[in-house]
Amino acid sequence: MTSIPDSDDDRAFKDLNVVGMLHQFWEQKQVKGAMVETENLVVYESIPSPGPPFICYVTLPGGSCFGNFKYCYTKAEARRDAARVALMNSTFNELPCRRITPEFIARSVEEAIITTSGNMEDASDPGTSIGAYCLMLQSNTGKTMLEFQEIMTVFQLLHWNGTLKAFRERRCSRQEVISYYSQQRLDECMRSHMALDWLQRERQRPGLLSHELQLALRELAEARQAGRELRFYKEKKEILSLALSQASAEELEEEAWRGQETGLEYLTHGGHCIEGSMVDPSEHCQFYYQESGSDQESLG
């Protein structure tokens, strides 16, 4: 196969060792922040592929995720390009204009009011969409935009999953939901509960998971090629993959039971297992509620 010559930019980034620069950048930030753990600060994930284009994701401390922007012919090139995109965003995030200040909040709220045809009085009422947005910004004053995006990813997923709609139907106030989930990390518990919701929808509408996963994969690819922050898209893909894996496991188990004769050993499937699917989700998360209807509702 004919090799593709490196461009001047490629050679420059190779010489700069952008992977090492990204690690050093975050290592210094951790030390300044009195965080002594510097191992595995930056996590790389290469997507298995028999040939180009190769894809690599890099996850930063806090959870922000970026991927290679270019069409990459080798795994090493994809890793360097993902590190380059992450380093550019990391350094840009340090600029004063990327920090949430009272002035930034005022401008953002004004823009939101114009966009939604709202009014300024709504900003002081957490029960309105504008008020909820203002409250989110105020509660994160002093943080950078990447830090704010890490928190917003949780709310994006709650909206996508239909959980925010369930909260509204149960008359939970926006202020309560924002206050609670602003302190929660996106962990395996939250992912598993969302996967369970999608598993329930798959039982009602067979084929839904495969369709949604294809959409999520397309959105992830488009966002990566646009150089955007990817955690929301990547989490969607992983939640749907987990649910689809469990759905496949259940289907195999049902087929095994149907084909067994009395006394044969029960066949188990060695795929992913989502525990606690039959327990009250409130035992795990204070504000989590199962929801199986339409999920196209926003925080507002």
Side-chain angles (χ1 to χ4, degrees):
M1 181 178 68
T2 304
S3 62
I4 305 298
D6 291 334
S7 66
D8 292 340
D9 288 343
D10 290 331
R11 287 190 290 270
F13 277 111
K14 286 180 183 178
D15 294 339
L16 286 173
N17 184 18
V18 69
V19 173
M21 292 174 65
L22 179 64
H23 180 85
Q24 184 179 35
F25 175 89
W26 282 99
E27 186 176 50
Q28 291 175 349
K29 281 186 65 68
Q30 295 293 90
V31 171
K32 289 180 181 179
M35 300 290 290
V36 296
E37 292 291 336
T38 57
E39 294 294 328
N40 299 320
L41 280 177
V42 179
V43 179
Y44 293 90
E45 177 188 354
S46 295
I47 304 303
S49 174
F54 290 98
I55 297 172
C56 182
Y57 298 107
V58 55
T59 300
L60 305 176
S64 295
C65 180
F66 297 93
N68 56 298
F69 174 81
K70 302 188 306 179
Y71 186 107
C72 296
Y73 291 89
T74 67
K75 292 181 180 179
E77 183 186 5
R79 183 183 175 98
R80 286 193 301 271
D81 195 53
R84 176 181 65 87
V85 174
L87 181 60
M88 291 173 62
N89 279 275
S90 297
T91 53
F92 181 62
N93 191 57
E94 295 298 300
L95 296 176
C97 64
R98 298 293 291 173
R99 195 167 292 275
I100 298 176
T101 63
E103 294 75 19
F104 175 87
I105 294 173
R107 290 196 305 271
S108 299
V109 171
E110 287 177 3
E111 292 173 0
I113 290 173
I114 294 173
T115 302
T116 61
S117 300
N119 57 72
M120 189 58 68
E121 288 73 20
D122 291 341
S124 58
D125 181 6
T128 65
S129 299
I130 297 295
Y133 177 56
C134 184
L135 178 62
M136 285 287 295
L137 289 171
Q138 290 174 343
S139 62
N140 289 280
T141 299
K143 293 184 178 179
T144 65
M145 290 308 297
L146 268 187
E147 291 171 329
F148 182 62
Q149 179 59 46
E150 290 161 7
I151 296 172
M152 284 303 296
T153 296
V154 174
F155 289 93
Q156 286 178 290
L157 288 170
L158 291 173
H159 160 57
W160 164 73
N161 189 61
T163 312
L164 293 181
K165 178 187 176 184
F167 290 150
R168 187 164 66 181
E169 291 176 347
R170 292 173 180 263
R171 301 190 181 280
C172 294
S173 72
R174 292 183 177 88
Q175 193 165 4
E176 288 178 315
V177 175
I178 291 172
S179 176
Y180 178 75
Y181 274 104
S182 293
Q183 306 301 320
Q184 301 303 307
R185 295 183 62 84
L186 185 52
D187 56 14
E188 290 303 320
C189 170
M190 193 179 297
R191 292 187 189 97
S192 294
H193 282 312
M194 290 186 184
L196 286 173
D197 281 342
W198 285 99
L199 184 58
Q200 289 183 353
R201 295 175 184 131
E202 173 69 14
R203 290 166 181 160
Q204 298 169 0
R205 297 169 57 190
L208 175 66
L209 278 176
S210 295
H211 174 71
E212 290 292 331
L213 181 57
Q214 289 303 312
L215 289 178
L217 289 170
R218 185 164 65 246
E219 289 176 353
L220 176 60
E222 291 173 352
R224 177 180 58 80
Q225 292 163 1
R228 297 167 62 183
E229 202 278 323
L230 302 175
R231 191 178 188 191
F232 170 60
Y233 307 99
K234 195 164 180 291
E235 291 287 352
K236 282 174 61 175
K237 187 254 310 183
E238 293 177 357
I239 289 168
L240 292 169
S241 297
L242 178 59
L244 186 60
S245 174
Q246 182 67 10
S248 299
E250 290 183 353
E251 183 177 349
L252 287 174
E253 289 173 353
E254 289 175 2
E255 290 177 357
W257 274 113
R258 287 195 296 266
Q260 285 175 345
E261 296 179 357
T262 304
L264 290 180
E265 181 180 358
Y266 171 60
L267 176 65
T268 58
H269 177 65
H272 291 283
C273 176
I274 306 177
E275 297 181 354
S277 60
M278 300 303 293
V279 301
D280 183 352
S282 64
E283 295 178 3
H284 297 270
C285 299
Q286 178 181 350
F287 274 104
Y288 180 85
Y289 296 98
Q290 297 282 12
E291 193 277 325
S292 59
S294 172
D295 57 1
Q296 298 301 315
E297 296 290 336
S298 69
L299 186 60

